[in-house]
Amino acid sequence: MHAFTINKDNDVEVHFLKRINLSDEQYLLLKSLKSLKKELWLNPKIEAFQSGIEKSPLTFEDVLDAEERLNRFAPYIARVFPERKRLMALLNRH
């Protein structure tokens, strides 16, 4: 399934839809989010950094490779996602 949205600038967005089964808890959360109410979700699977990193299949080389790729595509990302500049300014402020 897919749906189209056309905004005021005549940009067309294509949304690919997939039917999924939600638990009652997931449904209530999604309903609340759609109503724009503030929500707090705490990840029930959160764990300490050390135990999580030991389970991760990623290596330090993978992280360096991702960093290099992000730096290489930074100009494109900045052009396509102009809001990123404001977000990065906020993040780098702290």
Side-chain angles (χ1 to χ4, degrees):
M1 270 191 272
H2 59 276
F4 298 95
T5 303
I6 302 175
N7 69 19
K8 63 181 167 85
D9 298 320
N10 288 330
D11 292 327
V12 177
E13 294 180 14
V14 180
H15 307 273
F16 293 93
L17 307 174
K18 180 180 178 182
R19 187 172 299 275
I20 58 172
N21 292 318
L22 299 176
S23 69
D24 290 344
E25 183 182 7
Q26 290 169 323
Y27 172 77
L28 291 173
L29 176 62
L30 184 59
K31 185 177 174 183
S32 178
L33 291 172
K34 284 176 63 176
S35 71
L36 302 178
K37 284 179 20 186
K38 292 182 180 180
E39 283 290 336
L40 171 64
W41 176 76
L42 300 174
N43 186 345
K45 296 183 180 180
I46 197 164
E47 60 184 283
F49 172 80
Q50 195 57 44
S51 62
I53 199 70
E54 289 170 0
K55 294 176 188 175
S56 175
L58 299 176
T59 66
F60 187 66
E61 288 75 23
D62 293 327
V63 174
L64 293 176
D65 180 56
E67 179 184 34
E68 188 273 324
R69 236 176 303 120
L70 182 59
N71 288 334
R72 187 174 57 211
F73 286 99
Y76 172 76
I77 293 169
R79 188 173 69 249
V80 176
F81 301 103
E83 67 276 9
R84 180 186 174 276
K85 185 176 183 179
R86 191 180 64 193
L87 175 63
M88 293 308 295
L90 287 171
L91 292 175
N92 290 330
R93 195 170 57 172
H94 297 289

